[in-house]
Coordinates of all heavy atoms in Angstrom, one line a residue:
V22 N 74.1 -16.9 -5.9 CA 74.7 -16.1 -7.2 C 73.5 -16.3 -8.3 O 73.2 -15.3 -8.9 CB 76.1 -16.6 -7.7 CG1 76.3 -16.0 -8.9 CG2 77.0 -16.4 -6.5
T23 N 73.1 -17.5 -8.5 CA 72.1 -17.7 -9.5 C 70.9 -16.9 -9.4 O 70.4 -16.3 -10.3 CB 71.8 -19.2 -9.7 OG1 73.0 -19.9 -10.0 CG2 70.8 -19.4 -10.8
L24 N 70.4 -16.8 -8.2 CA 69.1 -16.2 -7.9 C 69.3 -14.7 -8.1 O 68.4 -14.0 -8.7 CB 68.6 -16.4 -6.3 CG 67.2 -16.0 -6.0 CD1 66.2 -16.7 -6.9 CD2 67.1 -16.5 -4.7
S25 N 70.4 -14.2 -7.6 CA 70.7 -12.7 -7.8 C 70.9 -12.3 -9.4 O 70.4 -11.3 -9.7 CB 71.9 -12.3 -7.0 OG 73.2 -12.9 -7.6
M26 N 71.4 -13.3 -10.1 CA 71.6 -12.9 -11.6 C 70.3 -13.0 -12.1 O 69.9 -12.2 -13.0 CB 72.4 -14.1 -12.2 CG 73.9 -14.0 -11.9 SD 74.8 -12.7 -12.6 CE 74.7 -13.1 -14.2
W27 N 69.4 -13.9 -11.9 CA 68.1 -14.0 -12.3 C 67.3 -12.7 -12.0 O 66.6 -12.1 -12.9 CB 67.1 -15.2 -11.7 CG 67.4 -16.4 -12.2 CD1 68.0 -16.8 -13.7 CD2 67.1 -17.8 -11.8 NE1 68.1 -18.1 -13.8 CE2 67.4 -18.7 -12.7 CE3 66.5 -18.1 -10.7 CZ2 67.4 -20.0 -12.5 CZ3 66.4 -19.4 -10.3 CH2 66.7 -20.4 -11.4
Y28 N 67.3 -12.4 -10.8 CA 66.5 -11.1 -10.4 C 67.0 -9.9 -11.0 O 66.3 -9.1 -11.4 CB 66.6 -11.0 -8.8 CG 65.6 -10.0 -8.2 CD1 64.2 -10.2 -8.4 CD2 66.0 -8.8 -7.7 CE1 63.4 -9.2 -7.9 CE2 65.0 -7.9 -7.3 CZ 63.8 -8.1 -7.3 OH 62.9 -7.2 -7.0
K29 N 68.3 -9.7 -11.1 CA 68.9 -8.4 -11.6 C 68.8 -8.3 -13.2 O 68.5 -7.4 -13.7 CB 70.3 -8.2 -11.2 CG 70.8 -6.9 -11.6 CD 72.3 -6.7 -11.0 CE 72.7 -5.1 -11.4 NZ 74.0 -5.0 -10.7
F30 N 69.2 -9.5 -13.8 CA 69.3 -9.6 -15.3 C 68.1 -10.4 -16.1 O 68.1 -10.5 -17.3 CB 70.7 -10.0 -15.7 CG 71.7 -9.1 -15.2 CD1 72.5 -9.8 -14.2 CD2 71.9 -7.9 -15.6 CE1 73.6 -8.9 -13.7 CE2 73.0 -6.9 -15.1 CZ 73.8 -7.7 -14.1
D31 N 67.4 -11.0 -15.3 CA 66.3 -12.1 -15.9 C 67.0 -13.3 -16.5 O 66.4 -14.0 -17.2 CB 65.4 -11.3 -16.8 CG 64.6 -10.2 -16.1 OD1 64.3 -10.4 -15.0 OD2 64.4 -9.2 -16.9
Q32 N 68.3 -13.5 -16.3 CA 68.9 -14.5 -16.9 C 70.3 -14.9 -16.3 O 70.9 -14.1 -15.5 CB 69.4 -14.3 -18.4 CG 70.1 -12.9 -18.6 CD 70.2 -12.4 -20.0 OE1 70.5 -11.4 -20.3 NE2 69.7 -13.2 -21.0
T33 N 70.8 -16.2 -16.4 CA 72.1 -16.4 -15.9 C 73.0 -16.3 -17.1 O 72.6 -16.1 -18.2 CB 72.1 -18.1 -15.5 OG1 71.6 -18.7 -16.5 CG2 71.1 -18.2 -14.3
P34 N 74.4 -16.4 -16.8 CA 75.4 -16.4 -17.8 C 75.0 -17.4 -19.1 O 75.2 -16.8 -20.4 CB 76.7 -16.6 -17.3 CG 76.5 -16.2 -15.8 CD 75.1 -16.5 -15.6
G35 N 74.6 -18.3 -18.8 CA 74.4 -19.4 -20.0 C 73.1 -18.9 -20.8 O 73.1 -19.1 -22.0
K36 N 72.0 -18.5 -20.1 CA 70.9 -18.0 -20.7 C 71.3 -16.7 -21.6 O 70.8 -16.4 -22.6 CB 69.8 -17.8 -19.8 CG 69.1 -19.0 -19.3 CD 67.9 -18.7 -18.4 CE 67.0 -19.9 -18.1 NZ 67.7 -21.1 -17.7
K37 N 72.1 -15.8 -21.0 CA 72.6 -14.8 -21.6 C 73.3 -15.0 -23.0 O 73.0 -14.3 -24.0 CB 73.5 -13.8 -20.8 CG 74.0 -12.6 -21.3 CD 74.7 -11.7 -20.3 CE 75.0 -10.3 -20.8 NZ 74.2 -9.4 -20.5
A38 N 74.2 -16.0 -23.0 CA 74.9 -16.4 -24.1 C 73.8 -16.9 -25.3 O 74.1 -16.6 -26.5 CB 75.9 -17.4 -23.9
L39 N 72.6 -17.4 -24.9 CA 71.8 -17.9 -25.8 C 70.5 -17.0 -26.0 O 69.6 -17.3 -26.7 CB 71.3 -19.3 -25.4 CG 72.2 -20.4 -25.2 CD1 71.8 -21.6 -24.7 CD2 72.8 -20.7 -26.7
H40 N 70.6 -15.8 -25.4 CA 69.5 -14.7 -25.4 C 68.2 -15.3 -24.9 O 67.1 -15.0 -25.6 CB 69.4 -14.3 -27.0 CG 70.6 -13.7 -27.5 ND1 71.1 -12.4 -27.1 CD2 71.5 -14.2 -28.3 CE1 72.1 -12.1 -27.8 NE2 72.5 -13.3 -28.4
L41 N 68.3 -16.0 -23.8 CA 67.1 -16.5 -23.2 C 66.9 -15.7 -21.9 O 67.7 -15.3 -21.1 CB 67.2 -18.2 -22.8 CG 67.7 -19.0 -23.9 CD1 68.0 -20.3 -23.4 CD2 66.5 -19.1 -24.9
Y42 N 65.5 -15.5 -21.6 CA 65.0 -14.8 -20.5 C 64.0 -15.7 -19.7 O 63.1 -16.2 -20.4 CB 64.5 -13.4 -20.9 CG 65.5 -12.6 -21.5 CD1 65.9 -12.6 -22.8 CD2 66.2 -11.6 -20.6 CE1 66.8 -11.7 -23.4 CE2 67.1 -10.8 -21.2 CZ 67.5 -10.8 -22.5 OH 68.4 -10.0 -22.9
I43 N 64.0 -15.3 -18.5 CA 62.9 -16.0 -17.6 C 61.9 -14.9 -17.4 O 62.2 -13.9 -17.1 CB 63.5 -16.5 -16.3 CG1 64.4 -17.5 -16.4 CG2 62.2 -17.0 -15.5 CD1 65.0 -17.8 -15.1
V44 N 60.6 -15.2 -17.8 CA 59.5 -14.1 -17.6 C 58.3 -14.8 -17.0 O 58.2 -16.0 -16.8 CB 59.1 -13.5 -19.0 CG1 60.2 -12.9 -19.6 CG2 58.7 -14.7 -20.0
N45 N 57.5 -13.8 -16.5 CA 56.2 -14.4 -16.0 C 55.3 -15.0 -17.2 O 55.2 -14.4 -18.2 CB 55.4 -13.3 -15.3 CG 54.1 -13.5 -14.8 OD1 53.3 -14.3 -15.3 ND2 53.8 -13.0 -13.5
A46 N 54.8 -16.1 -17.0 CA 54.1 -16.9 -18.0 C 52.9 -16.3 -18.5 O 52.4 -16.4 -19.6 CB 53.9 -18.4 -17.6
K47 N 52.2 -15.5 -17.6 CA 50.9 -14.9 -17.9 C 51.1 -13.5 -18.6 O 50.5 -13.1 -19.6 CB 50.1 -14.8 -16.6 CG 49.6 -16.1 -16.1 CD 48.7 -16.0 -15.0 CE 48.3 -17.4 -14.6 NZ 47.7 -17.2 -13.2
T48 N 52.1 -12.7 -18.1 CA 52.2 -11.3 -18.6 C 53.5 -11.2 -19.5 O 53.5 -10.1 -20.1 CB 52.4 -10.4 -17.4 OG1 53.6 -10.7 -16.6 CG2 51.3 -10.5 -16.3
F49 N 54.4 -12.1 -19.4 CA 55.5 -12.0 -20.2 C 56.4 -10.8 -19.8 O 57.2 -10.3 -20.5 CB 55.4 -12.1 -21.7 CG 54.8 -13.3 -22.2 CD1 53.5 -13.5 -22.4 CD2 55.7 -14.5 -22.5 CE1 52.9 -14.6 -22.8 CE2 55.1 -15.7 -22.8 CZ 53.8 -15.8 -23.1
K50 N 56.2 -10.5 -18.5 CA 57.0 -9.3 -17.9 C 58.1 -10.0 -16.8 O 58.0 -11.2 -16.6 CB 56.2 -8.4 -17.3 CG 55.4 -7.6 -18.3 CD 54.6 -6.5 -17.8 CE 53.8 -5.7 -18.9 NZ 53.1 -4.6 -18.5
K51 N 58.8 -9.3 -16.2 CA 59.8 -9.7 -15.3 C 59.0 -10.3 -14.0 O 58.0 -9.8 -13.5 CB 60.5 -8.5 -14.7 CG 61.6 -8.9 -13.7 CD 62.4 -7.7 -13.2 CE 63.4 -8.0 -12.2 NZ 64.8 -7.9 -12.7
P52 N 59.4 -11.6 -13.7 CA 58.8 -12.2 -12.6 C 59.1 -11.6 -11.4 O 60.1 -10.8 -11.1 CB 59.5 -13.7 -12.6 CG 60.0 -13.8 -13.9 CD 60.4 -12.4 -14.4
S53 N 58.3 -11.8 -10.3 CA 58.5 -11.3 -8.9 C 59.6 -12.1 -8.2 O 60.0 -13.2 -8.7 CB 57.3 -11.4 -8.1 OG 56.9 -12.8 -7.8
L54 N 60.2 -11.6 -7.2 CA 61.1 -12.2 -6.4 C 60.7 -13.6 -6.0 O 61.5 -14.5 -5.9 CB 61.7 -11.3 -5.3 CG 62.8 -12.0 -4.4 CD1 64.0 -12.3 -5.2 CD2 63.1 -11.0 -3.2
F55 N 59.4 -13.6 -5.4 CA 58.9 -14.9 -4.9 C 58.9 -16.0 -6.1 O 59.1 -17.1 -5.9 CB 57.4 -14.7 -4.5 CG 56.7 -16.0 -4.0 CD1 57.1 -16.5 -2.8 CD2 55.7 -16.4 -4.9 CE1 56.4 -17.6 -2.5 CE2 55.1 -17.6 -4.4 CZ 55.4 -18.1 -3.2
M56 N 58.5 -15.6 -7.3 CA 58.4 -16.4 -8.4 C 59.9 -17.0 -8.7 O 60.1 -18.1 -8.9 CB 57.9 -15.8 -9.7 CG 56.5 -15.5 -9.5 SD 55.9 -14.5 -11.0 CE 55.0 -15.8 -11.9
Y57 N 61.0 -16.2 -8.6 CA 62.3 -16.6 -8.9 C 62.7 -17.7 -7.8 O 63.4 -18.5 -8.0 CB 63.3 -15.4 -8.9 CG 63.5 -14.6 -10.0 CD1 63.0 -13.3 -10.1 CD2 63.7 -15.2 -11.3 CE1 63.1 -12.5 -11.0 CE2 63.8 -14.4 -12.5 CZ 63.5 -13.1 -12.5 OH 63.6 -12.4 -13.5
I58 N 62.3 -17.3 -6.6 CA 62.7 -18.2 -5.5 C 62.0 -19.7 -5.7 O 62.6 -20.6 -5.5 CB 62.3 -17.7 -4.0 CG1 63.1 -16.4 -3.8 CG2 62.2 -18.7 -2.9 CD1 62.7 -15.6 -2.6
I59 N 60.7 -19.6 -6.0 CA 60.0 -21.0 -6.2 C 60.7 -21.6 -7.5 O 60.9 -22.8 -7.5 CB 58.6 -20.7 -6.5 CG1 57.9 -20.1 -5.2 CG2 57.8 -21.9 -6.9 CD1 58.0 -20.9 -4.1
H60 N 61.0 -20.8 -8.4 CA 61.7 -21.4 -9.7 C 63.0 -22.1 -9.3 O 63.3 -23.2 -9.6 CB 62.0 -20.3 -10.7 CG 62.5 -20.7 -12.0 ND1 61.6 -21.0 -13.1 CD2 63.9 -20.9 -12.4 CE1 62.6 -21.4 -14.1 NE2 63.8 -21.4 -13.7
F61 N 63.7 -21.4 -8.4 CA 65.1 -21.9 -8.0 C 64.9 -23.2 -7.2 O 65.6 -24.2 -7.5 CB 65.8 -20.8 -7.2 CG 67.1 -21.1 -6.7 CD1 68.2 -21.0 -7.6 CD2 67.4 -21.4 -5.4 CE1 69.4 -21.3 -7.3 CE2 68.8 -21.6 -5.0 CZ 69.8 -21.7 -6.0
I62 N 63.9 -23.2 -6.2 CA 63.7 -24.4 -5.3 C 63.2 -25.5 -6.3 O 63.6 -26.7 -6.1 CB 62.7 -24.1 -4.3 CG1 63.4 -23.1 -3.2 CG2 62.2 -25.3 -3.6 CD1 62.4 -22.6 -2.2
G63 N 62.4 -25.3 -7.3 CA 61.8 -26.2 -8.1 C 62.8 -26.9 -9.0 O 62.6 -28.0 -9.5
Y64 N 63.7 -26.0 -9.4 CA 64.8 -26.5 -10.3 C 65.6 -27.6 -9.6 O 65.9 -28.6 -10.2 CB 65.8 -25.3 -10.7 CG 66.7 -25.7 -11.7 CD1 66.3 -25.7 -13.1 CD2 68.1 -26.0 -11.4 CE1 67.2 -26.0 -14.2 CE2 68.9 -26.4 -12.5 CZ 68.5 -26.3 -13.7 OH 69.3 -26.6 -14.8
F65 N 65.8 -27.4 -8.4 CA 66.6 -28.4 -7.6 C 65.7 -29.6 -7.4 O 66.2 -30.8 -7.4 CB 67.1 -27.7 -6.4 CG 68.5 -27.1 -6.5 CD1 68.5 -25.7 -6.5 CD2 69.6 -27.6 -6.8 CE1 69.5 -24.9 -6.7 CE2 70.8 -26.9 -7.3 CZ 70.7 -25.5 -7.2
L66 N 64.5 -29.5 -7.0 CA 63.6 -30.6 -7.0 C 63.5 -31.3 -8.2 O 63.5 -32.6 -8.3 CB 62.3 -30.2 -6.5 CG 62.2 -29.6 -5.2 CD1 60.7 -29.1 -4.8 CD2 62.3 -30.7 -4.0
A67 N 63.5 -30.7 -9.4 CA 63.5 -31.4 -10.7 C 64.8 -32.1 -11.0 O 64.7 -33.2 -11.4 CB 63.3 -30.3 -11.8
M68 N 65.9 -31.6 -10.5 CA 67.2 -32.2 -10.7 C 67.2 -33.6 -9.9 O 67.8 -34.5 -10.4 CB 68.4 -31.3 -10.2 CG 68.7 -30.3 -11.3 SD 70.2 -29.4 -11.0 CE 70.7 -29.6 -9.3
I69 N 66.7 -33.5 -8.7 CA 66.7 -34.7 -7.7 C 65.9 -35.8 -8.4 O 66.2 -36.9 -8.4 CB 66.3 -34.4 -6.4 CG1 67.2 -33.5 -5.7 CG2 66.0 -35.7 -5.5 CD1 66.8 -32.7 -4.4
S70 N 64.7 -35.4 -9.0 CA 63.8 -36.4 -9.4 C 63.8 -36.8 -10.8 O 63.2 -37.8 -11.2 CB 62.4 -36.0 -9.1 OG 62.0 -34.9 -9.8
I71 N 64.6 -36.0 -11.6 CA 64.7 -36.1 -13.0 C 63.2 -36.0 -13.8 O 63.1 -35.4 -14.8 CB 65.3 -37.4 -13.5 CG1 66.7 -37.5 -12.9 CG2 65.5 -37.6 -15.0 CD1 67.7 -36.4 -13.2
I72 N 62.3 -36.4 -13.1 CA 60.9 -36.5 -13.7 C 60.5 -34.9 -13.9 O 59.8 -34.6 -14.8 CB 60.0 -37.1 -12.6 CG1 60.2 -38.5 -12.6 CG2 58.5 -36.8 -13.2 CD1 59.4 -39.3 -11.6
G73 N 61.0 -34.0 -13.1 CA 60.7 -32.6 -13.3 C 61.0 -32.1 -14.7 O 60.4 -31.1 -15.2
F74 N 62.1 -32.6 -15.2 CA 62.6 -32.1 -16.5 C 61.8 -32.8 -17.6 O 61.6 -32.2 -18.7 CB 64.1 -32.3 -16.7 CG 64.9 -31.4 -15.8 CD1 65.8 -31.8 -14.9 CD2 64.9 -30.0 -15.9 CE1 66.5 -31.0 -14.0 CE2 65.7 -29.1 -15.1 CZ 66.4 -29.6 -14.1
L75 N 61.5 -34.0 -17.3 CA 60.8 -34.9 -18.4 C 59.5 -34.3 -18.6 O 58.9 -34.5 -19.8 CB 60.7 -36.3 -17.9 CG 62.2 -37.0 -17.9 CD1 61.9 -38.5 -17.2 CD2 62.9 -37.1 -19.2
V76 N 58.9 -33.6 -17.6 CA 57.6 -33.1 -17.9 C 57.6 -32.2 -19.0 O 56.5 -32.1 -19.9 CB 57.1 -32.3 -16.6 CG1 56.0 -31.4 -16.9 CG2 56.9 -33.2 -15.4
G77 N 58.7 -31.6 -19.4 CA 58.7 -30.4 -20.4 C 58.7 -31.2 -21.8 O 58.3 -30.5 -22.8
I78 N 59.2 -32.4 -21.9 CA 59.1 -33.1 -23.0 C 57.7 -33.4 -23.6 O 57.5 -33.3 -24.8 CB 60.0 -34.3 -22.9 CG1 61.4 -34.1 -22.7 CG2 59.8 -35.4 -24.2 CD1 62.3 -35.3 -22.2
F79 N 57.0 -33.6 -22.7 CA 55.5 -34.1 -23.1 C 54.5 -32.9 -23.2 O 53.3 -33.1 -23.5 CB 55.1 -35.1 -22.1 CG 55.9 -36.4 -22.0 CD1 56.8 -36.6 -21.0 CD2 55.9 -37.2 -23.1 CE1 57.5 -37.7 -21.0 CE2 56.7 -38.3 -23.1 CZ 57.5 -38.6 -21.9
R80 N 54.9 -31.7 -22.9 CA 54.2 -30.6 -22.9 C 54.4 -29.8 -24.2 O 55.4 -29.6 -24.7 CB 54.3 -29.6 -21.7 CG 54.0 -30.2 -20.4 CD 54.1 -29.2 -19.2 NE 53.5 -27.8 -19.4 CZ 52.3 -27.6 -19.2 NH1 51.5 -28.4 -18.6 NH2 51.7 -26.5 -19.5
K81 N 53.3 -29.3 -24.7 CA 53.3 -28.5 -26.0 C 54.2 -27.1 -25.8 O 54.9 -26.8 -26.7 CB 51.9 -28.1 -26.4 CG 51.8 -27.7 -27.8 CD 50.3 -27.3 -28.2 CE 50.2 -27.5 -29.7 NZ 48.9 -27.2 -30.0
D82 N 54.0 -26.5 -24.6 CA 54.8 -25.3 -24.3 C 56.1 -25.5 -23.8 O 57.0 -24.7 -23.6 CB 54.0 -24.4 -23.2 CG 53.9 -25.0 -22.1 OD1 54.3 -26.2 -21.8 OD2 53.0 -24.4 -21.2
K83 N 56.6 -26.8 -23.6 CA 58.0 -27.3 -23.2 C 58.3 -26.6 -21.8 O 59.5 -26.6 -21.5 CB 58.9 -26.7 -24.3 CG 58.7 -27.4 -25.7 CD 58.7 -28.9 -25.5 CE 58.5 -29.4 -26.8 NZ 58.1 -30.8 -27.0
R84 N 57.4 -26.3 -21.0 CA 57.6 -25.9 -19.7 C 57.8 -27.0 -18.7 O 57.0 -27.9 -18.6 CB 56.5 -24.9 -19.1 CG 56.3 -23.7 -19.9 CD 55.2 -22.9 -19.5 NE 55.2 -22.5 -18.0 CZ 54.0 -22.2 -17.3 NH1 52.9 -22.3 -18.0 NH2 54.1 -21.9 -16.0
A85 N 58.9 -27.0 -18.1 CA 59.3 -28.1 -17.0 C 58.6 -27.9 -15.7 O 57.9 -26.8 -15.5 CB 60.8 -28.2 -16.8
L86 N 58.8 -28.8 -14.8 CA 58.2 -28.7 -13.5 C 58.4 -27.3 -12.8 O 57.5 -26.8 -12.2 CB 58.4 -29.9 -12.5 CG 57.8 -30.1 -11.2 CD1 56.2 -30.1 -11.4 CD2 58.3 -31.1 -10.5
H87 N 59.7 -27.0 -12.6 CA 60.1 -25.7 -12.1 C 59.4 -24.4 -12.6 O 59.0 -23.6 -12.0 CB 61.5 -25.6 -11.8 CG 62.3 -25.6 -13.1 ND1 62.5 -26.8 -13.8 CD2 62.7 -24.7 -13.9 CE1 63.2 -26.5 -15.0 NE2 63.3 -25.1 -15.0
D88 N 59.1 -24.5 -13.9 CA 58.4 -23.4 -14.6 C 57.0 -23.5 -14.3 O 56.3 -22.4 -14.0 CB 58.6 -23.5 -16.1 CG 59.9 -23.3 -16.7 OD1 60.6 -22.2 -16.2 OD2 60.5 -24.1 -17.4
L89 N 56.3 -24.5 -14.2 CA 55.0 -24.8 -13.8 C 54.7 -24.2 -12.4 O 53.8 -23.7 -12.0 CB 54.5 -26.2 -14.1 CG 54.5 -26.6 -15.5 CD1 54.3 -28.1 -15.6 CD2 53.5 -25.9 -16.3
L90 N 55.6 -24.7 -11.5 CA 55.4 -24.5 -10.1 C 55.6 -22.9 -9.8 O 54.9 -22.2 -9.0 CB 56.5 -25.0 -9.1 CG 56.3 -26.6 -9.0 CD1 57.5 -27.2 -8.3 CD2 55.0 -26.9 -8.4
S91 N 56.5 -22.3 -10.6 CA 56.8 -20.8 -10.4 C 55.9 -19.8 -11.1 O 55.8 -18.7 -10.9 CB 58.2 -20.4 -10.5 OG 58.5 -20.8 -11.9
G92 N 55.3 -20.4 -12.2 CA 54.4 -19.6 -13.1 C 55.4 -18.8 -14.1 O 54.9 -17.7 -14.5
T93 N 56.4 -19.3 -14.4 CA 57.4 -18.7 -15.3 C 57.6 -19.4 -16.5 O 57.1 -20.6 -16.7 CB 58.9 -18.5 -14.6 OG1 59.3 -19.8 -14.3 CG2 58.7 -17.7 -13.4
C94 N 58.2 -18.9 -17.6 CA 58.5 -19.6 -18.7 C 59.8 -18.9 -19.4 O 60.3 -17.8 -19.0 CB 57.5 -19.6 -19.8 SG 57.1 -18.0 -20.4
V95 N 60.5 -19.6 -20.2 CA 61.7 -19.1 -20.8 C 61.5 -18.6 -22.3 O 60.8 -19.5 -23.0 CB 62.8 -20.2 -20.8 CG1 64.2 -19.6 -21.4 CG2 63.2 -20.6 -19.3
I96 N 61.7 -17.4 -22.6 CA 61.6 -17.0 -24.0 C 62.9 -16.6 -24.6 O 63.8 -16.4 -23.9 CB 60.7 -15.8 -23.9 CG1 61.3 -14.7 -23.3 CG2 59.3 -16.2 -23.5 CD1 60.5 -13.3 -23.4
I97 N 63.0 -16.6 -25.9 CA 64.1 -16.2 -26.7 C 63.9 -14.8 -27.3 O 62.8 -14.4 -27.9 CB 64.4 -17.1 -28.0 CG1 64.6 -18.5 -27.3 CG2 65.6 -16.6 -28.9 CD1 64.6 -19.5 -28.5
K98 N 64.8 -13.9 -26.9 CA 64.6 -12.5 -27.4 C 65.6 -12.4 -28.6 O 66.8 -12.8 -28.5 CB 65.1 -11.4 -26.3 CG 63.9 -11.3 -25.4 CD 64.2 -10.1 -24.5 CE 63.1 -9.8 -23.5 NZ 63.3 -8.7 -22.7
E99 N 65.1 -11.9 -29.6 CA 65.8 -11.6 -31.0 C 66.9 -10.6 -30.6 O 66.7 -9.6 -29.8 CB 65.0 -11.4 -32.1 CG 64.0 -12.5 -32.5 CD 64.7 -13.7 -32.9 OE1 65.7 -13.6 -33.6 OE2 64.2 -14.8 -32.6
R100 N 68.0 -10.6 -31.3 CA 69.1 -9.6 -31.2 C 68.6 -8.3 -31.8 O 68.0 -8.1 -32.6 CB 70.3 -10.0 -31.9 CG 70.9 -11.3 -31.1 CD 72.0 -11.8 -31.9 NE 72.3 -13.2 -31.4 CZ 73.4 -13.7 -31.7 NH1 74.3 -13.1 -32.3 NH2 73.5 -15.1 -31.3

């Protein structure tokens, strides 16, 4: 369900409530299906190790391990 929500709307219900979108980190456009799949897998790897999320704390751009692996980033779109 999460993967289909990402692919169709570029966001999950929680991201939608906060006006957050997952985009390609280089072009700031919609990521490819492959990027979403890598993002999804990387997210679970980050949850298992916890270190994957801690990476974002020490980076200036705040991208966590799953974002780095998939080449994506999360942006806020103004209303």
